[in-house]
């Protein structure tokens, strides 16, 4: 699986995902949307319908493994921990300014409790 991250400068959420990947020895390619604007703009135009924009703009990081596009730290970490299994209890955060929402412990599938707890710890 080839992972590409699209990030923003000084993005703490991006750093969390990068550290998670590094801790697991997972290789990835990273493009900064400002520094690598031509690459990001081409990607954005090709995938605009799959990329969420909140009132402040595009939420970073954006994760693409060639199969799915995930956006935001919670969704990306959930996918890396369990594939699509945690999608029922981890959704896009609707809060701005670095706050996290979209976590629903009651919807966590049986057997995924440890992954959910790991996710919450990573976000804390």
């Amino acid at each position: 699986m080839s992972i590409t991250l699209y990030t923003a400068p000084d993005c703490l959420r991006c750093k969390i995902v990068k550290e998670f990947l590094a801790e697991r020895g997972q290789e990835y390619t990273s493009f900064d949307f400002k520094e690598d604007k031509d690459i990001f703009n081409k990607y954005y135009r090709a995938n605009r319908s799959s990329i969420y924009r909140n009132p402040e703009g595009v939420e970073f990081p954006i994760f693409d493994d060639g199969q799915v596009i995930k956006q935001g730290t919670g969704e990306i970490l959930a996918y890396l921990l369990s594939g699509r299994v945690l999608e029922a209890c981890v959704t896009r955060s609707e809060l701005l300014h670095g706050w996290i929402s979209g976590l629903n412990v009651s919807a966590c599938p049986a057997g995924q409790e440890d992954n959910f707890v790991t996710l919450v710890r990573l976000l804390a």
Side-chain angles (χ1 to χ4, degrees):
M1 165 173 49
S2 175
I3 295 173
T4 304
L5 290 178
Y6 297 91
T7 63
D10 303 319
C11 169
L12 179 59
R13 295 167 296 190
C14 302
K15 182 179 178 183
I16 292 168
V17 172
K18 288 178 178 181
E19 288 176 357
F20 180 85
L21 290 167
E23 287 172 6
R24 283 152 179 77
Q26 180 69 54
E27 293 184 22
Y28 63 92
T29 303
S30 180
F31 297 105
D32 181 285
F33 92 99
K34 286 188 176 180
E35 193 173 302
D36 305 302
K37 67 181 176 183
D38 293 337
I39 294 169
F40 176 73
N41 288 340
K42 180 178 178 184
Y43 176 80
Y44 180 79
R45 283 191 302 275
N47 296 284
R48 184 181 308 233
S49 64
S50 300
I51 297 173
Y52 173 71
R53 289 183 62 90
N54 63 35
E56 294 182 342
V58 173
E59 181 183 356
F60 291 97
I62 299 172
F63 167 98
D64 189 326
D65 67 359
Q67 296 178 41
V68 299
I69 295 172
K70 295 289 182 181
Q71 200 171 352
T73 310
E75 283 192 329
I76 293 169
L77 293 174
Y79 180 74
L80 290 168
L81 286 165
S82 68
R84 301 186 90 152
V85 178
L86 287 176
E87 286 181 352
C89 60
V90 181
T91 60
R92 179 178 60 239
S93 178
E94 298 292 336
L95 299 177
L96 303 177
H97 308 293
W99 290 94
I100 304 265
S101 68
L103 303 176
N104 182 354
V105 68
S106 299
C108 186
Q112 290 297 310
E113 297 84 4
D114 288 343
N115 282 332
F116 189 83
V117 169
T118 298
L119 170 71
V120 171
R121 285 186 178 143
L122 291 166
L123 294 173

